[in-house]
Amino acid sequence: MTATGNKLLFLPGASGSTGFWQPVIDHLPPSFDCAVQPYPGFWGEPPQPDVNSLEDLSRWIIGKIQKPVIPVAQSMGGIIAVQAALQKPHLVRGLVLAATSGGMDMRRFAAADWRTDYRVEMAQLPQWFADAPPQDFSPDFGRIRQKTLLIWGGRDAVSPPAAGEFLQRSLPDARLMVVPQGGHDVAFSHAGEAARLIEQFVSALADG
């Protein structure tokens, strides 16, 4: 159990790799209650008959949230975290978004298109993230009242720092932290720094 009494629910990005978040978890205090959400059909996870798209995946994961939680989402996993905050504000006590690359129009930030390479390099995985039509939740960002930590890499081409700056302006209570040397995998490549920021954020929630 964390200091706030809430579980940290780690959501992978489009790769579905549960191992992405492990270095961060390893740097967090043992008292933190951490769980990584596997995606059905990814990396040996059993499929779910009713999960066949990103929309289905979001609905399935959000439906499983029955107790207070702090979603910690990488990249496209932010789409799920944002919807959880909007649909279950009484249970989502805070948000951590790392290099979010979905849920807003990324073209305005001159973001690199990751989908072509993804379809080649991740051809063995379900293509829900790559095939999903663009989703823009920015008109709803003002309704997300939860405190939000934004972790960005200064060298991220997929979700440039300008995207994080936009989120900081659009969300009512958000703080942006940029790791200058970080890329799109900033939470993995700079796991110690990401864990420090998350620990401070969670502790502040407990105090506040």
Side-chain angles (χ1 to χ4, degrees):
M1 192 69 67
T2 68
T4 61
N6 304 314
K7 175 179 287 188
L8 296 181
L9 180 62
F10 289 85
L11 300 171
S15 73
S17 172
T18 56
F20 177 89
W21 283 114
Q22 194 57 52
V24 168
I25 293 172
D26 290 343
H27 278 89
L28 289 171
S31 59
F32 276 42
D33 184 6
C34 300
V36 184
Q37 176 62 63
Y39 296 160
F42 286 70
W43 304 111
E45 286 295 318
Q48 293 287 331
D50 55 344
V51 178
N52 298 289
S53 67
L54 178 54
E55 182 180 0
D56 291 343
L57 180 65
S58 298
R59 182 169 51 248
W60 182 73
I61 291 174
I62 295 169
K64 289 160 63 72
I65 297 175
Q66 300 296 330
K67 295 181 179 180
V69 70
I70 300 172
V72 182
Q74 160 66 10
S75 189
M76 289 290 284
I79 291 178
I80 302 169
V82 164
Q83 291 181 87
L86 290 167
Q87 295 177 28
K88 293 190 172 181
H90 58 298
L91 292 179
V92 175
R93 300 298 172 83
L95 280 177
V96 179
L97 303 177
T100 294
S101 60
M104 51 188 167
D105 184 358
M106 299 301 293
R107 293 173 297 180
R108 73 180 77 177
F109 312 118
D113 183 7
W114 53 273
R115 289 172 172 79
T116 299
D117 288 344
Y118 178 91
R119 289 189 174 98
V120 174
E121 296 170 5
M122 303 289 181
Q124 76 277 24
L125 300 178
Q127 297 297 301
W128 307 330
F129 288 95
D131 292 343
Q135 295 175 286
D136 188 0
F137 297 109
S138 57
D140 298 316
F141 286 164
R143 296 197 293 114
I144 297 177
R145 313 305 300 184
Q146 296 91 336
K147 291 182 182 297
T148 304
L149 171 64
L150 307 170
I151 303 175
W152 247 255
R155 297 183 173 182
D156 190 348
V158 174
S159 186
E165 293 166 1
F166 172 77
L167 280 170
Q168 181 173 233
R169 294 192 302 269
S170 302
L171 296 169
D173 195 352
R175 181 186 182 198
L176 173 64
M177 303 300 295
V178 178
V179 180
Q181 301 302 316
H184 193 56
D185 65 346
V186 60
F188 181 84
S189 63
H190 293 71
E193 176 67 5
R196 183 184 67 81
L197 294 171
I198 292 170
E199 181 178 357
Q200 290 178 348
F201 174 73
V202 172
S203 297
L205 284 180
D207 294 340

